[in-house]
Amino acid sequence: MSELEEYIAARKKRDIEFAEDFEIGYERFKIGALIKEMRLEQGMTQEQLAEKLSTKKSVISRMENHSEDVRLSTLEKIANVFGRQVKISIL
């Protein structure tokens, strides 16, 4: 485990609010990273994905880099473009 991972684990143990906020932020980051990864695997630009979704390149960039407030319906459209499905779990 890296020093950063050790720090995060220790901080999560002693600070519940940090732990909750960290997990929420990490999940949002993962959504954006996954969108970008799928797009790049297909050799697609942000502009091309935006065109397929009838939106603007700036919207795709925002999703990939900030991932805040991405609607489920939007995630489903993105998944459809890449021949994938959205799977949600509540743990």
Side-chain angles (χ1 to χ4, degrees), residues 35 39 44-64 69-71 73-75 77-78 81-82:
I35 293 169
R39 178 178 62 76
M44 193 180 294
T45 66
Q46 287 181 340
E47 291 168 335
Q48 290 169 323
L49 179 56
E51 186 176 308
K52 289 182 179 288
L53 297 173
S54 300
T55 192
K56 297 178 181 179
K57 176 189 177 290
S58 61
V59 172
I60 304 303
S61 177
R62 196 173 325 117
M63 283 190 286
E64 289 183 357
D69 300 325
V70 178
R71 293 182 176 189
S73 60
T74 301
L75 289 175
K77 290 176 185 176
I78 292 168
V81 166
F82 297 111

Tab-separated table of all heavy atoms in Angstrom, residues 35 39 44-64 69-71 73-75 77-78 81-82:
chain	number	residue	atom	x	y	z
A	35	ILE	N	-16.260	6.767	-18.784
A	35	ILE	CA	-16.744	7.348	-20.044
A	35	ILE	C	-15.569	7.616	-20.977
A	35	ILE	O	-15.594	7.242	-22.153
A	35	ILE	CB	-17.551	8.638	-19.782
A	35	ILE	CG1	-18.861	8.313	-19.047
A	35	ILE	CG2	-17.827	9.380	-21.098
A	35	ILE	CD1	-19.590	9.528	-18.504
A	39	ARG	N	-14.693	5.760	-24.590
A	39	ARG	CA	-14.570	6.606	-25.775
A	39	ARG	C	-13.229	6.378	-26.469
A	39	ARG	O	-13.161	6.184	-27.686
A	39	ARG	CB	-14.731	8.077	-25.376
A	39	ARG	CG	-14.574	9.045	-26.522
A	39	ARG	CD	-14.779	10.476	-26.092
A	39	ARG	NE	-13.826	10.950	-25.092
A	39	ARG	CZ	-12.560	11.285	-25.333
A	39	ARG	NH1	-12.057	11.168	-26.550
A	39	ARG	NH2	-11.776	11.734	-24.360
A	44	MET	N	-12.714	7.265	-30.441
A	44	MET	CA	-13.681	8.331	-30.667
A	44	MET	C	-13.233	9.612	-29.966
A	44	MET	O	-12.717	9.564	-28.857
A	44	MET	CB	-15.030	7.858	-30.098
A	44	MET	CG	-16.222	8.669	-30.487
A	44	MET	SD	-17.748	8.004	-29.748
A	44	MET	CE	-17.879	6.434	-30.580
A	45	THR	N	-13.448	10.733	-30.608
A	45	THR	CA	-13.157	12.018	-29.979
A	45	THR	C	-14.358	12.445	-29.132
A	45	THR	O	-15.463	11.903	-29.281
A	45	THR	CB	-12.889	13.112	-31.034
A	45	THR	OG1	-14.102	13.337	-31.764
A	45	THR	CG2	-11.756	12.722	-31.972
A	46	GLN	N	-14.139	13.447	-28.298
A	46	GLN	CA	-15.251	13.995	-27.527
A	46	GLN	C	-16.306	14.570	-28.470
A	46	GLN	O	-17.505	14.433	-28.217
A	46	GLN	CB	-14.756	15.088	-26.573
A	46	GLN	CG	-13.985	14.550	-25.396
A	46	GLN	CD	-13.517	15.642	-24.460
A	46	GLN	OE1	-13.441	16.813	-24.825
A	46	GLN	NE2	-13.194	15.250	-23.231
A	47	GLU	N	-15.861	15.183	-29.538
A	47	GLU	CA	-16.795	15.757	-30.514
A	47	GLU	C	-17.657	14.679	-31.157
A	47	GLU	O	-18.864	14.868	-31.353
A	47	GLU	CB	-16.040	16.533	-31.588
A	47	GLU	CG	-15.409	17.804	-31.059
A	47	GLU	CD	-14.431	18.434	-32.027
A	47	GLU	OE1	-13.863	17.735	-32.884
A	47	GLU	OE2	-14.227	19.659	-31.899
A	48	GLN	N	-17.053	13.535	-31.481
A	48	GLN	CA	-17.809	12.450	-32.099
A	48	GLN	C	-18.839	11.871	-31.130
A	48	GLN	O	-19.978	11.593	-31.515
A	48	GLN	CB	-16.860	11.353	-32.583
A	48	GLN	CG	-16.031	11.778	-33.773
A	48	GLN	CD	-14.903	10.805	-34.077
A	48	GLN	OE1	-14.279	10.238	-33.181
A	48	GLN	NE2	-14.629	10.621	-35.366
A	49	LEU	N	-18.438	11.703	-29.870
A	49	LEU	CA	-19.388	11.200	-28.878
A	49	LEU	C	-20.514	12.206	-28.671
A	49	LEU	O	-21.688	11.833	-28.609
A	49	LEU	CB	-18.684	10.897	-27.548
A	49	LEU	CG	-19.580	10.394	-26.416
A	49	LEU	CD1	-20.365	9.152	-26.829
A	49	LEU	CD2	-18.745	10.124	-25.166
A	50	ALA	N	-20.165	13.475	-28.609
A	50	ALA	CA	-21.172	14.523	-28.445
A	50	ALA	C	-22.187	14.484	-29.591
A	50	ALA	O	-23.399	14.602	-29.366
A	50	ALA	CB	-20.501	15.888	-28.370
A	51	GLU	N	-21.687	14.292	-30.793
A	51	GLU	CA	-22.570	14.221	-31.950
A	51	GLU	C	-23.544	13.048	-31.826
A	51	GLU	O	-24.738	13.186	-32.086
A	51	GLU	CB	-21.740	14.091	-33.233
A	51	GLU	CG	-22.556	14.164	-34.503
A	51	GLU	CD	-21.689	14.121	-35.745
A	51	GLU	OE1	-20.737	14.931	-35.818
A	51	GLU	OE2	-21.964	13.294	-36.619
A	52	LYS	N	-23.058	11.899	-31.405
A	52	LYS	CA	-23.908	10.719	-31.240
A	52	LYS	C	-24.962	10.922	-30.155
A	52	LYS	O	-26.023	10.318	-30.200
A	52	LYS	CB	-23.069	9.486	-30.925
A	52	LYS	CG	-22.245	8.992	-32.092
A	52	LYS	CD	-21.475	7.737	-31.719
A	52	LYS	CE	-20.666	7.234	-32.887
A	52	LYS	NZ	-21.477	6.645	-33.942
A	53	LEU	N	-24.659	11.786	-29.193
A	53	LEU	CA	-25.582	12.036	-28.088
A	53	LEU	C	-26.386	13.322	-28.295
A	53	LEU	O	-27.141	13.728	-27.413
A	53	LEU	CB	-24.806	12.135	-26.770
A	53	LEU	CG	-24.070	10.869	-26.343
A	53	LEU	CD1	-23.202	11.143	-25.125
A	53	LEU	CD2	-25.043	9.736	-26.071
A	54	SER	N	-26.211	13.951	-29.437
A	54	SER	CA	-26.893	15.218	-29.748
A	54	SER	C	-26.642	16.269	-28.682
A	54	SER	O	-27.564	16.906	-28.160
A	54	SER	CB	-28.399	14.983	-29.919
A	54	SER	OG	-28.639	14.077	-30.956
A	55	THR	N	-25.373	16.435	-28.355
A	55	THR	CA	-24.986	17.436	-27.368
A	55	THR	C	-23.701	18.117	-27.825
A	55	THR	O	-23.285	17.946	-28.970
A	55	THR	CB	-24.850	16.795	-25.963
A	55	THR	OG1	-24.753	17.828	-24.987
A	55	THR	CG2	-23.675	15.841	-25.869
A	56	LYS	N	-23.081	18.869	-26.933
A	56	LYS	CA	-21.856	19.599	-27.275
A	56	LYS	C	-20.625	18.924	-26.680
A	56	LYS	O	-20.717	18.228	-25.675
A	56	LYS	CB	-21.938	21.028	-26.743
A	56	LYS	CG	-23.049	21.834	-27.360
A	56	LYS	CD	-23.106	23.205	-26.763
A	56	LYS	CE	-24.258	24.000	-27.377
A	56	LYS	NZ	-24.365	25.327	-26.802
A	57	LYS	N	-19.490	19.170	-27.297
A	57	LYS	CA	-18.215	18.644	-26.816
A	57	LYS	C	-17.972	19.061	-25.369
A	57	LYS	O	-17.469	18.279	-24.566
A	57	LYS	CB	-17.071	19.126	-27.703
A	57	LYS	CG	-15.690	18.702	-27.228
A	57	LYS	CD	-14.611	19.399	-28.037
A	57	LYS	CE	-13.222	19.058	-27.556
A	57	LYS	NZ	-12.889	19.626	-26.258
A	58	SER	N	-18.338	20.284	-25.026
A	58	SER	CA	-18.110	20.780	-23.661
A	58	SER	C	-18.867	19.949	-22.620
A	58	SER	O	-18.398	19.786	-21.495
A	58	SER	CB	-18.493	22.253	-23.549
A	58	SER	OG	-19.867	22.435	-23.830
A	59	VAL	N	-20.011	19.415	-23.001
A	59	VAL	CA	-20.782	18.564	-22.088
A	59	VAL	C	-20.023	17.264	-21.838
A	59	VAL	O	-19.927	16.798	-20.698
A	59	VAL	CB	-22.198	18.277	-22.650
A	59	VAL	CG1	-22.934	17.251	-21.816
A	59	VAL	CG2	-22.981	19.578	-22.764
A	60	ILE	N	-19.462	16.691	-22.876
A	60	ILE	CA	-18.685	15.446	-22.739
A	60	ILE	C	-17.453	15.713	-21.881
A	60	ILE	O	-17.141	14.941	-20.969
A	60	ILE	CB	-18.272	14.888	-24.118
A	60	ILE	CG1	-19.495	14.659	-25.010
A	60	ILE	CG2	-17.440	13.619	-23.952
A	60	ILE	CD1	-20.548	13.736	-24.443
A	61	SER	N	-16.771	16.808	-22.146
A	61	SER	CA	-15.585	17.163	-21.367
A	61	SER	C	-15.943	17.316	-19.891
A	61	SER	O	-15.231	16.818	-19.015
A	61	SER	CB	-14.984	18.463	-21.899
A	61	SER	OG	-13.881	18.845	-21.112
A	62	ARG	N	-17.042	17.984	-19.614
A	62	ARG	CA	-17.471	18.185	-18.228
A	62	ARG	C	-17.764	16.848	-17.553
A	62	ARG	O	-17.376	16.617	-16.412
A	62	ARG	CB	-18.701	19.087	-18.192
A	62	ARG	CG	-18.983	19.651	-16.831
A	62	ARG	CD	-20.114	20.681	-16.817
A	62	ARG	NE	-20.182	21.519	-18.002
A	62	ARG	CZ	-21.217	21.549	-18.860
A	62	ARG	NH1	-22.268	20.784	-18.659
A	62	ARG	NH2	-21.197	22.344	-19.903
A	63	MET	N	-18.430	15.948	-18.270
A	63	MET	CA	-18.724	14.632	-17.691
A	63	MET	C	-17.443	13.859	-17.400
A	63	MET	O	-17.312	13.229	-16.353
A	63	MET	CB	-19.621	13.815	-18.632
A	63	MET	CG	-21.063	14.226	-18.599
A	63	MET	SD	-22.121	13.068	-19.489
A	63	MET	CE	-21.721	13.450	-21.179
A	64	GLU	N	-16.510	13.902	-18.335
A	64	GLU	CA	-15.270	13.145	-18.162
A	64	GLU	C	-14.388	13.718	-17.063
A	64	GLU	O	-13.685	12.966	-16.384
A	64	GLU	CB	-14.486	13.107	-19.474
A	64	GLU	CG	-15.127	12.249	-20.529
A	64	GLU	CD	-14.320	12.160	-21.807
A	64	GLU	OE1	-13.255	12.815	-21.917
A	64	GLU	OE2	-14.741	11.440	-22.706
A	69	ASP	N	-23.575	15.491	-11.369
A	69	ASP	CA	-24.945	15.607	-11.855
A	69	ASP	C	-25.159	14.994	-13.234
A	69	ASP	O	-25.880	15.556	-14.062
A	69	ASP	CB	-25.395	17.072	-11.852
A	69	ASP	CG	-25.366	17.688	-10.471
A	69	ASP	OD1	-25.654	16.960	-9.504
A	69	ASP	OD2	-25.040	18.878	-10.361
A	70	VAL	N	-24.558	13.862	-13.487
A	70	VAL	CA	-24.812	13.147	-14.734
A	70	VAL	C	-26.079	12.330	-14.507
A	70	VAL	O	-26.153	11.520	-13.589
A	70	VAL	CB	-23.639	12.222	-15.124
A	70	VAL	CG1	-23.964	11.466	-16.404
A	70	VAL	CG2	-22.363	13.020	-15.281
A	71	ARG	N	-27.066	12.573	-15.311
A	71	ARG	CA	-28.343	11.882	-15.157
A	71	ARG	C	-28.223	10.415	-15.562
A	71	ARG	O	-27.433	10.064	-16.440
A	71	ARG	CB	-29.407	12.545	-16.009
A	71	ARG	CG	-29.755	13.925	-15.544
A	71	ARG	CD	-30.847	14.494	-16.388
A	71	ARG	NE	-31.224	15.787	-15.843
A	71	ARG	CZ	-32.266	16.474	-16.244
A	71	ARG	NH1	-33.023	16.004	-17.205
A	71	ARG	NH2	-32.542	17.629	-15.689
A	73	SER	N	-30.386	8.803	-17.223
A	73	SER	CA	-30.782	8.689	-18.630
A	73	SER	C	-29.607	8.995	-19.565
A	73	SER	O	-29.459	8.359	-20.609
A	73	SER	CB	-31.962	9.620	-18.937
A	73	SER	OG	-31.616	10.972	-18.677
A	74	THR	N	-28.756	9.931	-19.163
A	74	THR	CA	-27.568	10.253	-19.960
A	74	THR	C	-26.581	9.096	-19.931
A	74	THR	O	-26.012	8.724	-20.961
A	74	THR	CB	-26.902	11.538	-19.444
A	74	THR	OG1	-27.851	12.603	-19.512
A	74	THR	CG2	-25.665	11.896	-20.255
A	75	LEU	N	-26.381	8.509	-18.756
A	75	LEU	CA	-25.485	7.344	-18.655
A	75	LEU	C	-25.998	6.190	-19.507
A	75	LEU	O	-25.210	5.489	-20.141
A	75	LEU	CB	-25.344	6.909	-17.201
A	75	LEU	CG	-24.551	7.838	-16.295
A	75	LEU	CD1	-24.597	7.326	-14.853
A	75	LEU	CD2	-23.129	7.986	-16.762
A	77	LYS	N	-27.750	6.472	-22.278
A	77	LYS	CA	-27.477	6.820	-23.681
A	77	LYS	C	-26.014	6.568	-24.023
A	77	LYS	O	-25.701	6.050	-25.098
A	77	LYS	CB	-27.833	8.287	-23.946
A	77	LYS	CG	-29.317	8.565	-23.935
A	77	LYS	CD	-29.581	10.045	-24.105
A	77	LYS	CE	-31.056	10.372	-23.967
A	77	LYS	NZ	-31.315	11.816	-24.038
A	78	ILE	N	-25.125	6.947	-23.103
A	78	ILE	CA	-23.693	6.721	-23.328
A	78	ILE	C	-23.410	5.227	-23.420
A	78	ILE	O	-22.706	4.774	-24.330
A	78	ILE	CB	-22.853	7.378	-22.215
A	78	ILE	CG1	-22.959	8.901	-22.319
A	78	ILE	CG2	-21.403	6.919	-22.269
A	78	ILE	CD1	-22.418	9.644	-21.108
A	81	VAL	N	-24.403	3.857	-26.765
A	81	VAL	CA	-23.459	4.190	-27.839
A	81	VAL	C	-22.338	3.160	-27.902
A	81	VAL	O	-21.889	2.774	-28.972
A	81	VAL	CB	-22.873	5.615	-27.642
A	81	VAL	CG1	-21.654	5.849	-28.528
A	81	VAL	CG2	-23.928	6.678	-27.897
A	82	PHE	N	-21.911	2.687	-26.724
A	82	PHE	CA	-20.792	1.750	-26.667
A	82	PHE	C	-21.238	0.290	-26.556
A	82	PHE	O	-20.419	-0.596	-26.306
A	82	PHE	CB	-19.872	2.116	-25.495
A	82	PHE	CG	-19.248	3.468	-25.661
A	82	PHE	CD1	-19.600	4.526	-24.835
A	82	PHE	CD2	-18.324	3.704	-26.661
A	82	PHE	CE1	-19.033	5.782	-24.997
A	82	PHE	CE2	-17.748	4.954	-26.832
A	82	PHE	CZ	-18.109	6.002	-25.998
